[in-house]
Amino acid sequence: MLIVLKLLGSLALLMFGMKSMSDALQKMAGPQLRHVLGAMTTNRFTGMLTGTLVTASVQSSTATTVMTVSFVNAGLLTLAQAISVIMGANIGTTLTAWIMSAGMSFNITNVVYPAFLLGIILIYRKKHRYIGDFLFGMAFLLLGLGTLRQTGIEMNLGQNQAVLDFFASFNPDSFLTTLLFLIMGGILTFCVQSSAAVMAITMILCSSGALPIYQGIALVMGENIGTTVTSNLAALSANTQARRAALAHMFFNVFGVIWILFVFRPFIDMVCGWVGYDVAMVKDQVTTEVFLANAAKLSFVLAAFHTSFNVANTFILIWFIPQIERFVCWVIKPKKLDEEEDFRLHFITAGFMKTPELSVLEAQKEIQSFSDRMQRMFGMVRELLTLSSTANSKNNKDGDFNKLFTRIEKYEGISDNMELEIAKYLDSVGDAHLSDDTKAKIRAMLREISELESIGDACYNMARTISRKYNGKQDHFINKQYEHIHQMMELTDQSLTQMNRLMGGRKDSFDVNRTFNIENEINNYRNQLKAQNIVDINNHEYTYAVGTIYMDLINECEKLGDYVVNVVEARMGTRQREQLW
């Protein structure tokens, strides 16, 4: 029981070390990696290379996949480019297997203690704490591997007759045995949610001489499929492009497993030859020392197979990316419902919130979608004003007017829900250990969504004012008033356009002075119309009641302009604002 607990504990240590190391790397290089991923995918080959390098850097194929899907949704990458990046991610993730095989080959625990010491020193030095976090994660990973290796030796699996009899009960030459171990590998990976943990168990079983190499590699192949089942289940609640990318990932691995089954033994024998492992060695014909020395090479055989398999599979499928794209688009059709009329977050999904740094990127895309929606809502208000002033056949246009007003009401409810859901998501992200830059981003985003919701309120207030006038007994606006309102709304729409240009682009390429200039124009125009309104009422050009409704619309536009400036300031940062003012 103690050995079993030690085995499970060392696996937990291994998984925690992997996660800590990956999180630290993403904190150190998250934004740069996003820029690299967006810039270096000009064709399928650079996309594949980029996916390989990014995944090897952050030690997480999931992180690379999530970033890739978010770029597809944002229109920065096509689905075909995303597939090439995912192919590269499969190659990059094999680096983990090499690290683990090195840890299994010799007692690596002696080197982890200096890493712990150096890591804690760097963590307390605020400037280098992410490097300290990385060292701690790496040290935990290596400590887990070392403990796992020692536990495997203590278990003496190679001399345990019960274990040997269990694996001997399977016919090594049977295709059914290979399929059975493949399925076992997939189920184990799905259950523990970590292909690294299952790979570690496989390495212990193989290097101890208990598990034959062919069954061990069948387990590794099953791990490749099991890890894609997890991402596909996570993508069920996501949008169409995310589900397509997850399906492409599964197709890539399943296709690879199918073709490797046809050349199973020759391919493995070739890999064993590269590593120097003697496949034909039989335990009873050599000394125990020689047999165990040969078996110790099996961890490197597994790592070499993992890399060779993914490289060969990528080389085969990279020429058929357009066909894979067509296949996943054919299997997963876009949903028929009108997403503009139904509240649904496009980018934020619980299944994809893997690391805080990447979750912030997802929230950023969602806020961009929120911002676009608010400008569409304002466009509806302008259309509502036009409907209230055109056509004399009131009965014919009543239906159109009421339908549009109901749609604006629905958008107002959507804006409230979006603010609450995004804020809740950011709050859950904020509970994690974050970098200072990410904390600042979250504070800015919380302010952005609050101001965007206020824009929705302003639009709804204008719509209610127009509806009150339309359904009441007040006189119509005179032509001059309509012209002034339309001109004010045009300035407001220009302000919203500038805001959305900033939300969808890079801060360093945005001319924020343009937003402030439009805001000054809106303020000056409002003051001018306010003074003119009093003169026009005194001259009996229209009634005081009509003048009040008229100024309500003008003032609401001016408020909306203020909210836009607040969003821009939050996005650009306080220092930028101080420099500009």
Side-chain angles (χ1 to χ4, degrees), residues 10 13-14 96 99-104 106 108-109 139-151 196 200 203-204:
S10 55
L13 201 59
L14 169 74
T96 306
I99 294 171
M100 292 172 68
S101 64
M104 289 290 178
F106 55 91
I108 206 165
T109 52
F140 275 125
L141 167 65
L142 296 177
L143 183 61
L145 281 172
T147 310
L148 209 55
R149 174 181 175 273
Q150 192 58 40
T151 307
M203 284 182 174
I204 282 181

Side-chain angles (χ1 to χ4, degrees), residues 268-324:
I268 294 172
D269 291 344
M270 178 185 70
V271 173
C272 289
W274 290 344
V275 177
Y277 172 75
D278 186 356
V279 184
M281 185 178 289
V282 180
K283 184 177 181 181
D284 298 334
Q285 296 176 358
V286 294
T287 62
T288 304
E289 291 76 12
V290 173
F291 179 78
L292 291 177
N294 190 48
K297 298 176 184 175
L298 280 173
S299 59
F300 286 104
V301 172
L302 291 171
F305 171 81
H306 200 204
T307 302
S308 303
F309 165 70
N310 281 294
V311 169
N313 200 27
T314 299
F315 181 77
I316 293 169
L317 288 179
I318 200 166
W319 310 101
F320 300 99
I321 286 176
Q323 288 77 13
I324 296 172

Side-chain angles (χ1 to χ4, degrees), residues 484 522-533 551:
H484 292 159
I522 291 172
N523 290 341
N524 292 335
Y525 196 48
R526 187 274 314 265
N527 294 337
Q528 177 188 332
L529 294 179
K530 189 176 180 180
Q532 186 63 43
N533 179 58
M551 283 311 299

Side-chain angles (χ1 to χ4, degrees), residues 380-397:
M380 291 177 207
V381 174
R382 297 180 73 180
E383 188 181 342
L384 192 74
L385 179 66
T386 303
L387 276 177
S388 72
S389 62
T390 56
N392 295 321
S393 51
K394 188 174 187 297
N395 291 334
N396 291 337
K397 63 173 180 169

Side-chain angles (χ1 to χ4, degrees), residues 369-388:
S369 171
F370 190 3
S371 178
D372 288 334
R373 202 186 287 259
M374 290 304 95
Q375 186 166 16
R376 284 195 295 275
M377 185 180 181
F378 183 71
M380 291 177 207
V381 174
R382 297 180 73 180
E383 188 181 342
L384 192 74
L385 179 66
T386 303
L387 276 177
S388 72

Side-chain angles (χ1 to χ4, degrees), residues 53-304:
L53 294 175
V54 170
T55 306
S57 299
V58 299
Q59 282 295 289
S60 172
S61 57
T62 301
T64 307
T65 304
V66 172
M67 277 194 285
T68 304
V69 168
S70 70
F71 283 143
V72 172
N73 288 323
L76 299 175
L77 292 179
T78 63
L79 184 59
Q81 289 172 320
I83 292 170
S84 69
V85 173
I86 290 168
M87 287 180 176
N90 268 30
I91 297 173
T93 197
T94 62
L95 179 63
T96 306
W98 286 103
I99 294 171
M100 292 172 68
S101 64
M104 289 290 178
S105 301
F106 55 91
N107 188 2
I108 206 165
T109 52
N110 293 331
V111 302
V112 303
Y113 301 108
F116 276 126
L117 177 62
L118 183 58
I120 199 69
I121 292 170
L122 291 174
I123 286 172
Y124 279 105
R125 288 170 61 88
K126 195 173 181 182
K127 188 178 177 182
H128 301 105
R129 69 181 180 278
Y130 303 132
I131 300 174
D133 287 340
F134 168 75
L135 284 175
F136 249 70
M138 177 65 89
F140 275 125
L141 167 65
L142 296 177
L143 183 61
L145 281 172
T147 310
L148 209 55
R149 174 181 175 273
Q150 192 58 40
T151 307
I153 293 170
E154 289 173 13
M155 290 172 77
N156 200 18
L157 294 172
Q159 305 298 322
N160 189 316
Q161 198 58 41
V163 175
L164 292 173
D165 290 343
F166 172 75
F167 288 119
S169 65
F170 297 97
N171 182 1
D173 299 321
S174 171
F175 181 71
L176 190 61
T177 299
T178 303
L179 281 181
L180 186 61
F181 275 83
L182 192 149
I183 293 166
M184 283 169 56
I187 293 172
L188 275 172
T189 305
F190 175 72
C191 290
V192 301
Q193 297 281 295
S194 172
S195 58
V198 181
M199 175 68 86
I201 294 170
T202 308
M203 284 182 174
I204 282 181
L205 289 169
C206 286
S207 57
S208 65
L211 180 65
I213 183 60
Y214 298 111
Q215 284 92 313
I217 284 181
L219 280 176
V220 172
M221 289 161 56
E223 292 158 20
N224 272 342
I225 295 177
T227 194
T228 64
V229 172
T230 306
S231 63
N232 272 272
L233 288 176
L236 285 178
S237 61
N239 53 40
T240 303
Q241 294 290 56
R243 287 183 290 124
R244 284 172 175 169
L247 179 62
H249 191 197
M250 176 178 271
F251 174 84
F252 176 83
N253 283 6
V254 170
F255 177 85
V257 167
I258 290 170
W259 72 257
I260 205 74
L261 286 173
F262 286 99
V263 291
F264 189 61
R265 286 187 174 254
F267 193 90
I268 294 172
D269 291 344
M270 178 185 70
V271 173
C272 289
W274 290 344
V275 177
Y277 172 75
D278 186 356
V279 184
M281 185 178 289
V282 180
K283 184 177 181 181
D284 298 334
Q285 296 176 358
V286 294
T287 62
T288 304
E289 291 76 12
V290 173
F291 179 78
L292 291 177
N294 190 48
K297 298 176 184 175
L298 280 173
S299 59
F300 286 104
V301 172
L302 291 171

Side-chain angles (χ1 to χ4, degrees), residues 22 27 30 141 152 180 188 248 257 280 395 408 412 476 510 538 581:
S22 177
K27 285 174 190 172
L141 167 65
L180 186 61
L188 275 172
V257 167
N395 291 334
I408 293 170
E412 203 278 330
H476 287 294
F510 180 73
N538 287 335
W581 284 108

Side-chain angles (χ1 to χ4, degrees), residues 367-376 452 493-505 510 564 567-568:
I367 293 171
Q368 183 184 334
S369 171
F370 190 3
S371 178
D372 288 334
R373 202 186 287 259
M374 290 304 95
Q375 186 166 16
R376 284 195 295 275
L452 286 169
D493 192 60
Q494 287 176 24
S495 182
L496 286 165
T497 300
Q498 287 295 310
M499 177 185 75
N500 280 320
R501 190 172 294 164
L502 170 63
M503 301 302 279
F510 180 73
V564 168
V567 172
V568 170

